Amino acid sequence: PDLDMASEATSHSVDLSSYDLPEAIVEAYKSRGISRLYDWQAECLCSSGVRDGRNLVYCAPTSGGKTLVSEVLMLRRVFNLKKRAIFVLPYVSVVSE
């Protein structure tokens, strides 16, 4: 996303297609009813540290959308930088989703 999207992210939700993901991935999320990010998710994805490839620490309530942030970060890196990734999910309920 553009650098100025961080300020946009605080005022309203942002379309998932704004995050440099392949259209097939965006469409797969849309088929599951996910097309927009919550404000806090967009803010995480637009933070300067994340754009620079640094780590991100965040918290949200159960079912708050934490996994989606991790997935978008991982998928952007895999597709844009041609890097491999290991996605570790500690909870059976998240894995089954």
Side-chain angles (χ1 to χ4, degrees):
D2 296 327
L3 296 178
D4 60 351
M5 189 182 287
S7 60
E8 178 184 328
T10 59
S11 62
H12 61 281
S13 63
V14 177
D15 193 275
L16 186 59
S17 63
S18 303
Y19 290 94
D20 299 325
L21 295 172
E23 188 61 30
I25 299 293
V26 173
E27 289 303 318
Y29 278 115
K30 284 182 180 179
S31 74
R32 298 191 71 142
I34 302 168
S35 61
R36 303 190 68 76
L37 300 174
Y38 294 122
D39 293 342
W40 72 266
Q41 291 170 314
E43 191 172 345
C44 284
L45 292 169
C46 292
S47 69
S48 61
V50 169
R51 286 193 312 266
D52 295 337
R54 294 196 311 259
N55 294 330
L56 174 67
V57 176
Y58 58 101
C59 64
T62 300
S63 297
K66 298 179 293 289
T67 301
L68 181 59
V69 172
S70 300
E71 289 175 358
V72 170
L73 289 171
M74 177 194 66
L75 290 168
R76 269 197 334 210
R77 198 148 184 97
V78 166
F79 287 104
N80 296 334
L81 300 177
K82 308 296 186 227
K83 299 282 186 176
R84 292 182 181 186
I86 296 174
F87 198 67
V88 178
L89 296 170
Y91 299 106
V92 173
S93 62
V94 174
V95 173
S96 66
E97 288 177 12

